[in-house]
């Protein structure tokens, strides 16, 4: 069987792992090129300390790290081990970190990672050098450990070469050869190497390499300090030259430090210093076999390490008798959100990227890329590290540099799920922004848009509700961060009166032309061949039937559709499937704006302003009208993501302020308020509505997610259709309601049935309607409604029960009134 010719640029841990994974799957015509020597090429792999910790806030990244450590454990090398399961020990010296370690333990429990929570004496028993009096406890993960990166590279390269791959040193790729929108090979100083697929695995040179093919790879090469101490007397003879290390990897994250053994010495890594972005033009690319000549190892800067050494000898007192014997500032890749950058170039077929990948996830990422190439669909959800996950506005140099520097600073920080980017801010604001500022909006910026989380002026609404008897339990310090009880009042007021929600950040796409219907029918699950004015909820699936996203599609004319999407990845998906002609795709998000006007009094606010009949016999639920509000031309959609009667109203951005003012003026007699994203989230969970990327991923099918109603199996073929009948669904997305009204969780907590961890929370909110916290959780499909479960939240355990999928208005009477 003929397989594609693959050229991998970069023979570090990622490129070599990919060669192994591809040849394992039968793609043996693989050439790996590197401008350095083999296999200490001079990139990050050559100096990587090799720490592999499986547990991560991301479920996918945990799976990829677990694959890496198990794969490397199976490798053999004539010089010794490729992976040493010394275990990992994270210690806490402050209460905030101790709570964070309990959260990490929860992630580990729900993902099958072995762990133990230890007291101070138990930590010292695992790591005798510790001053136990300085710590509160620790998290021990016995399967974690050290990868001998260069041995892992050589072992995988040997396997790949035994299947037919070839590795060539000192082959700098000067250019990518392309023709008719597809790669044809690469050009080196000695000639052209033909290829059907070229994969960029160049590490911190990735951004520079991407420019050659017109691609922005959002990463910044950043130097991180690493030092090695003089020998410790107590460790003399503790490790043979072959073993190298027997103590666990130690992480002292309260001061941005980690430690690993090098025989009787301790290696110290430090993230607490100032960010050090690196100018690649100043590096010497003429790598030799000498360790000192590696371009990825910069001169050590002792002044930046002073605080690290002071904190180190407090934690490990014996080191006070020694000193730093050697050190360097090693270059690694950092990205705006801390995740890798992986995928195929949209405009150059066959050019792939696997960048900003550390040793920890290297084999897992390589497996994912190989699956995508060979099988067409990877086995894990990839949205967190997809090449096209960033908005165009996040791809300028200042944004990438600033946010990547923040990623460096935050590597070991305790990160709250609602922590916001410090800078840059106000990249995109809706036309309503001046009014929102005047109302005291607290803004979040999960992407590039500023989005109100709540409004301080609604304190009066909260005061009235509390005076009327509403009880809002006090939160613990963690769940109270980036939250206000005002948001509960906003949600309750939406249920009883009417509220305005800024919907401008929702991605809006116009898909038009004679082939528009056929394209959307093929891409999505529901039947879109309906009358003009219809609004349809539908899904984007991958080829294996997993959920990539959910959309609303409005038919504005016979050949014109307005798509409400979830962001850049949806745009990318549709763009990749555009036919050569007959369909035009336009992203109109920044040129337009929109509000959600919802609540039982929404009709009273809007009806006097528009000539459109807003009665149930006029503009019915899930129908659309192009009309006017006042003198403003609008697209009016009768849909509701909060489970209340009302409309989404969209217009050109130039009319935004006028629309906001018109609605607020008309709504004043009905006590209209502006409400934020926290209230929005609580109301959608009450109503049983899911959130793509949080509740919905490619790991699960529509039926498992409770979205079978969005599948039209009787229509023609669509992507993922054939896989739906063959995929089992051992888990299902369920709603759970907590017994204790004071219980609050935030997401990713483990859920147990009896004594067994059976699933995890995806999203949660405190429900003002029910006076309890509601959450979604992936749980065994055969679990009956009413079944008791427990949820671990930091040091507490909360009781809950499986509830109906829809907690508020299951009959849909409120949204249809």
């Amino acid at each position: 069987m003929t397989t594609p010719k693959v050229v991998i640029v970069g023979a570090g841990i990622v490129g070599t792992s990919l060669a192994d994974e591809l040849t394992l799957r039968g793609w043996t015509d693989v050439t790996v090129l590197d401008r350095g020597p083999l296999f200490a090429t001079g990139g990050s792999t050559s100096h990587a300390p090799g720490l592999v910790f499986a547990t991560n806030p991301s479920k996918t990244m945990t799976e990829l790290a677990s694959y890496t450590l198990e794969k490397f454990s199976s490798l053999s090398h004539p010089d010794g081990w490729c992976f040493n399961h010394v275990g990992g020990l994270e210690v806490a010296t402050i209460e905030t970190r101790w709570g964070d370690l309990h959260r990490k333990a929860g992630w580990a429990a729900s993902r099958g990672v072995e762990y133990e929570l230890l007291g101070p004496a138990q930590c010292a028993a695992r790591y005798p050098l510790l001053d136990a009096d300085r710590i509160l406890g620790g998290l021990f993960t016995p399967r974690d450990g050290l990868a001998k990166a260069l041995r892992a590279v050589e072992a995988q390269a040997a396997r790949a070469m035994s299947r037919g791959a070839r590795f060539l040193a000192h082959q700098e790729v000067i250019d990518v050869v392309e023709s008719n929108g597809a790669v044809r090979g690469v050009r080196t100083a000695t000639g052209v190497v033909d290829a059907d697929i070229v994969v960029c695995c160049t590490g911190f040179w990735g951004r520079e390499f991407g420019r050659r093919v017109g691609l922005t790879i959002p990463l910044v090469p950043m130097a991180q300090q690493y030092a090695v101490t003089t020998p410790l007397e107590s460790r003399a003879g503790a490790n043979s030259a072959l073993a190298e290390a027997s103590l666990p990897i130690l992480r002292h994250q309260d001061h941005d430090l980690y430690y690993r053994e090098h025989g009787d010495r301790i290696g110290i890594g430090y993230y607490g210093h100032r960010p050090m972005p690196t100018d690649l033009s100043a590096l010497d690319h003429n790598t030799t076999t000498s360790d000192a000549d590696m371009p990825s190892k910069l001169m050590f800067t002792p002044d930046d390490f002073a605080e690290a050494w002071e904190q180190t000898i407090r934690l490990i007192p014996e080191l006070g008798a020694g000193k730093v014997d050697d050190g360097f500032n090693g270059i690694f890749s950092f990205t705006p959100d801390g995740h890798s950058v992986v995928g195929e170039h949209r405009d150059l077929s066959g050019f792939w990227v696997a960048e900003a990948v550390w040793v920890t996830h290297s084999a897992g990422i390589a497996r994912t890329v190989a699956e995508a190439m060979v099988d067409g669909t990877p086995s894990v959800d990839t949205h967190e590290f997809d090449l096209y996950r960033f908005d165009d506005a996040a791809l300028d140099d200042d944004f990438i540099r600033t946010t990547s520097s923040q990623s460096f600073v935050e590597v070991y920080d305790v990160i709250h799920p609602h922590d916001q980017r410090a800078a840059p801010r106000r990249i995109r604001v809706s036309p309503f922004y001046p009014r929102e500022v005047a109302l005291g909006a607290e803004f979040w910026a999960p992407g590039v848009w500023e989005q109100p989380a709540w409004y301080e002026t609604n304190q009066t609404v909260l005061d009235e509700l509390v005076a009327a008897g509403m009880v809002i339990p006090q939160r613990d310090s963690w769940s109270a961060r980036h939250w206000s009880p005002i948001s509960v009042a906003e949600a309750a007021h939406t249920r009883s009166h009417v509220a305005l929600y800024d919907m401008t950040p929702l991605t809006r796409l116009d898909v038009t032309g004679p082939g528009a219907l056929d394209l959307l029918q093929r891409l999505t699950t529901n039947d879109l061949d309906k009358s003009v004015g219809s609004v349809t909820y539908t899904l984007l699936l991958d080829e294996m039937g997993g959920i990539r996203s959910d959309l609303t599609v409005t038919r504005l004319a016979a050949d014109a559709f307005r798509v409400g999407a979830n962001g850049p990845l949806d745009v990318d998906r549709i763009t990749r499937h555009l036919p050569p002609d007959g369909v035009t795709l336009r992203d109109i998000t920044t040129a337009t704006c929109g509000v959600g006007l919802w609540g039982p009094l929404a009709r009273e606010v809007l009806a006097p302003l528009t000539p459109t009949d807003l009665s149930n016999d006029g503009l019915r639920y899930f129908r659309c009208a192009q009309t006017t509000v006042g003198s403003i031309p609008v697209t009016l959609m009768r849909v509701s993501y909060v489970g209340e009667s009302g409309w989404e109203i969209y217009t050109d951005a130039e009319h935004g302020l006028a629309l906001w003012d018109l609605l607020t003026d008309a709504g004043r007699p009905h006590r209209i308020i502006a409400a934020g994203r926290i209230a929005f989230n609580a109301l959608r969970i009450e109503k049983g509505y899911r959130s793509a990327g949080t509740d919905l991923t490619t790991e699960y099918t529509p039926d498992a997610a409770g979205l079978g109603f969005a599948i039209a199996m009787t229509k023609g073929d669509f992507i993922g259709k054939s896989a739906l009948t063959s995929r089992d669904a051992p888990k299902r997305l369920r709603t759970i309601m907590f017994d204790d009204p004071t219980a609050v969780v935030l997401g990713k907590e483990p859920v147990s049935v009896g004594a067994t961890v059976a699933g995890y929370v995806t999203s949660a909110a405190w429900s003002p309607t029910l006076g309890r916290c509601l959450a979604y959780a992936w749980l065994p499909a055969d679990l009956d409604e009413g079944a008791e479960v427990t949820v671990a939240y930091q040091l507490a355990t909360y009781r809950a029960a499986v509830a109906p999928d829809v907690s508020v208005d299951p009959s849909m009477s409120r949204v249809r009134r």
Side-chain angles (χ1 to χ4, degrees):
M1 180 181 68
T2 301
T3 61
K5 294 179 181 179
V6 181
V7 168
I8 298 171
V9 186
I13 194 72
V14 181
T16 306
S17 295
L18 178 57
D20 184 40
E21 294 288 338
L22 286 173
T23 56
L24 177 66
R25 289 163 174 77
W27 282 21
T28 55
D29 195 346
V30 174
T31 302
V32 184
L33 306 176
D34 202 289
R35 65 180 168 191
L38 299 177
F39 281 94
T41 65
S44 299
T45 301
S46 305
H47 65 73
L51 282 63
V52 180
F53 285 85
T55 307
N56 186 284
S58 162
K59 182 175 181 291
T60 295
M61 300 311 285
T62 297
E63 183 174 343
L64 299 184
S66 296
Y67 178 79
T68 297
L69 67 87
E70 296 303 335
K71 180 183 181 181
F72 287 2
S73 299
S74 71
L75 298 175
S76 59
H77 191 281
D79 293 340
W81 56 272
C82 293
F83 194 86
N84 184 354
H85 290 279
V86 293
L89 178 62
E90 301 176 59
V91 295
T93 60
I94 57 175
E95 291 291 346
T96 302
R97 180 71 59 182
W98 189 224
D100 189 52
L101 293 186
H102 279 77
R103 282 187 291 278
K104 289 185 177 179
W107 302 338
S110 67
R111 300 165 191 171
V113 176
E114 294 181 48
Y115 74 95
E116 294 179 66
L117 283 165
L118 307 177
Q122 293 171 302
C123 291
R126 294 280 186 185
Y127 202 99
L129 300 175
L130 279 174
D131 179 356
D133 292 337
R134 294 195 61 81
I135 62 176
L136 302 175
L139 174 67
F140 180 64
T141 45
R143 294 294 294 167
D144 291 340
L146 294 169
K148 196 73 169 176
L150 285 180
R151 286 183 194 164
V153 165
E154 291 170 357
Q156 291 180 100
R159 299 201 320 185
M161 285 188 284
S162 72
R163 305 181 190 116
R166 60 178 184 153
F167 285 73
L168 302 177
H170 304 295
Q171 295 289 314
E172 181 169 4
V173 175
I174 299 170
D175 200 3
V176 176
V177 180
E178 55 184 278
S179 176
N180 297 322
V183 299
R184 293 293 180 259
V186 298
R187 181 175 288 106
T188 71
T190 57
V192 172
V193 181
D194 292 336
D196 304 300
I197 294 173
V198 173
V199 191
C200 177
C201 299
T202 58
F204 56 78
W205 285 289
R207 192 167 178 207
E208 175 188 75
F209 196 91
R211 290 192 179 105
R212 304 179 190 185
V213 292
L215 183 66
T216 299
I217 300 177
L219 65 81
V220 174
M222 202 90 67
Q224 181 241 340
Q225 291 195 301
Y226 193 81
V228 180
T229 69
T230 50
L232 277 75
E233 183 177 347
S234 67
R235 300 307 293 168
N239 300 305
S240 67
L242 182 63
E244 187 176 323
S246 56
L247 291 178
I249 302 164
L250 177 67
R251 290 201 284 183
H252 181 27
Q253 293 167 300
D254 293 334
H255 289 283
D256 302 296
L257 288 158
Y258 65 83
Y259 308 89
R260 60 150 292 179
E261 286 186 290
H262 294 278
D264 57 0
R265 302 166 187 258
I266 301 294
I268 307 170
Y270 185 43
Y271 289 104
H273 55 79
R274 60 193 168 89
M276 301 178 187
T278 302
D279 179 6
L280 295 184
S281 65
L283 299 183
D284 180 7
H285 295 168
N286 297 316
T287 308
T288 70
T289 55
S290 169
D291 182 75
D293 291 335
M294 290 183 183
S296 60
K297 294 180 71 172
L298 306 180
M299 187 72 70
F300 189 64
T301 50
D303 289 348
D304 290 305
F305 199 73
E307 176 67 16
W309 185 246
E310 181 180 335
Q311 295 300 332
T312 291
I313 60 178
R314 289 181 181 177
L315 186 70
I316 307 175
E318 186 180 347
L319 285 173
K323 63 179 182 177
V324 171
D325 189 46
D326 191 16
F328 62 91
N329 291 357
I331 304 176
F332 294 96
S333 298
F334 286 80
T335 64
D337 59 5
H339 284 301
S340 302
V341 183
V342 179
E344 185 180 10
H345 196 321
R346 185 164 62 214
D347 301 316
L348 182 59
S349 176
F351 186 89
W352 287 73
V353 170
E355 293 292 5
V357 182
W358 292 4
V359 171
T360 303
H361 304 107
S362 56
I365 290 285
R367 180 190 66 175
T368 301
V369 175
E371 289 172 339
M373 289 179 179
V374 178
D375 305 325
T377 306
S379 59
V380 298
D381 183 81
T382 63
H383 81 273
E384 290 170 307
F385 53 85
D386 192 289
L387 169 63
Y388 286 98
R389 69 187 181 272
F390 296 105
D391 194 287
D392 288 346
L395 294 178
D396 70 70
D397 289 348
D398 177 68
F399 186 95
I400 293 171
R401 185 184 179 94
T402 302
T403 54
S404 296
S405 295
Q406 183 176 337
S407 292
F408 176 89
V409 170
E410 293 178 345
V411 165
Y412 278 172
D413 285 1
V414 176
I415 303 296
H416 190 278
H418 296 142
D419 279 348
Q420 301 300 308
R421 179 179 67 248
R425 293 294 295 266
R426 294 180 294 281
I427 298 169
R428 282 186 178 161
V429 297
S430 81
F432 317 132
Y433 183 75
R435 302 294 186 262
E436 293 167 342
V437 170
L439 292 172
E442 176 71 20
F443 288 98
W444 289 357
V448 295
W449 287 94
E450 296 291 330
Q451 302 182 34
W454 70 85
Y455 295 87
E456 287 295 336
T457 51
N458 288 329
Q459 178 68 45
T460 56
V461 179
L462 173 63
D463 293 343
E464 291 174 7
L465 289 170
V466 170
M470 173 179 275
V471 177
I472 302 175
Q474 184 152 356
R475 294 190 170 205
D476 66 280
S477 59
W478 182 251
S479 62
R481 287 180 64 180
H482 309 300
W483 176 86
S484 169
I486 290 173
S487 64
V488 179
E490 290 175 353
H493 193 85
T494 305
R495 289 268 184 252
S496 62
H497 291 78
V498 61
L500 273 179
Y501 290 82
D502 186 350
M503 301 297 290
T504 303
L506 176 71
T507 299
R508 289 174 294 285
L509 311 172
D510 276 354
V511 183
T512 59
L517 176 61
D518 288 343
L519 170 68
L520 293 173
Q521 288 282 67
R522 188 170 70 255
L523 285 177
T524 72
T525 60
N526 219 334
D527 188 0
L528 307 179
D529 192 7
K530 300 176 181 177
S531 61
V532 172
S534 64
V535 182
T536 305
Y537 178 80
T538 188
L539 305 173
L540 286 173
L541 305 183
D542 68 10
E543 286 73 8
M544 299 304 295
I547 303 171
R548 292 179 60 98
S549 188
D550 61 346
L551 312 172
T552 56
V553 180
T554 302
R555 194 167 197 175
L556 300 176
D559 292 335
F561 296 84
R562 174 74 48 83
V563 178
N566 286 297
L569 288 179
D570 294 345
V571 179
D572 178 57
R573 181 68 164 177
I574 297 172
T575 301
R576 288 179 186 273
H577 287 84
L578 285 174
D581 52 49
V583 182
T584 299
L585 172 66
R586 286 198 314 127
D587 186 339
I588 64 167
T589 309
T590 57
T592 56
C593 61
V595 296
L597 177 71
W598 293 308
L601 302 181
R603 184 176 283 110
E604 280 78 355
V605 174
L606 187 59
L609 304 178
T610 179
T612 301
D613 181 359
L614 299 184
S615 69
N616 283 320
D617 294 329
L619 188 61
R620 301 189 304 278
Y621 188 55
F622 264 78
R623 297 290 297 179
C624 164
Q626 291 182 300
T627 182
T628 57
V629 171
S631 60
I632 301 168
V634 301
T635 300
L636 195 64
M637 302 178 187
R638 190 174 174 193
V639 294
S640 172
Y641 200 57
V642 302
E644 287 294 330
S645 177
W647 296 265
E648 289 183 9
I649 310 170
Y650 296 100
T651 188
D652 291 344
E654 63 182 332
H655 301 304
L657 272 182
L659 177 64
W660 182 278
D661 291 343
L662 185 62
L663 292 172
T664 52
D665 288 345
R668 197 164 285 114
H670 307 287
R671 301 192 60 201
I672 195 171
I673 64 168
R677 304 304 295 180
I678 299 178
F680 184 85
N681 186 59
L683 294 171
R684 67 100 181 166
I685 291 177
E686 288 185 347
K687 195 65 183 72
Y689 294 152
R690 280 66 165 123
S691 177
T694 303
D695 308 315
L696 311 175
T697 69
T698 57
E699 188 176 356
Y700 300 106
T701 62
D703 280 339
L707 299 176
F709 65 87
I711 310 298
M713 295 297 286
T714 56
K715 78 167 185 175
D717 195 24
F718 56 84
I719 293 174
K721 181 179 182 180
S722 60
L724 292 177
T725 57
S726 59
R727 278 189 64 169
D728 293 330
K731 289 194 175 181
R732 184 182 157 206
L733 189 64
R734 310 299 299 273
T735 301
I736 60 174
M737 184 165 64
F738 289 79
D739 294 351
D740 183 348
T742 66
V744 174
V745 299
L746 300 179
K748 300 187 178 181
E749 295 84 2
V751 183
S752 296
V753 179
T756 303
V757 175
Y760 61 94
V761 172
T762 58
S763 55
W766 198 82
S767 163
T769 308
L770 302 176
R772 294 285 190 280
C773 183
L774 291 174
Y776 291 141
W778 283 103
L779 293 170
D782 59 359
L783 204 59
D784 293 330
E785 192 174 304
E788 292 187 357
V789 298
T790 56
V791 181
Y793 172 78
Q794 299 196 53
L795 281 69
T797 300
Y798 296 135
R799 294 175 55 189
V802 177
D805 286 350
V806 181
S807 300
V808 174
D809 191 31
S811 68
M812 301 288 286
S813 61
R814 298 177 72 96
V815 297
R816 297 180 185 275
R817 63 184 165 192

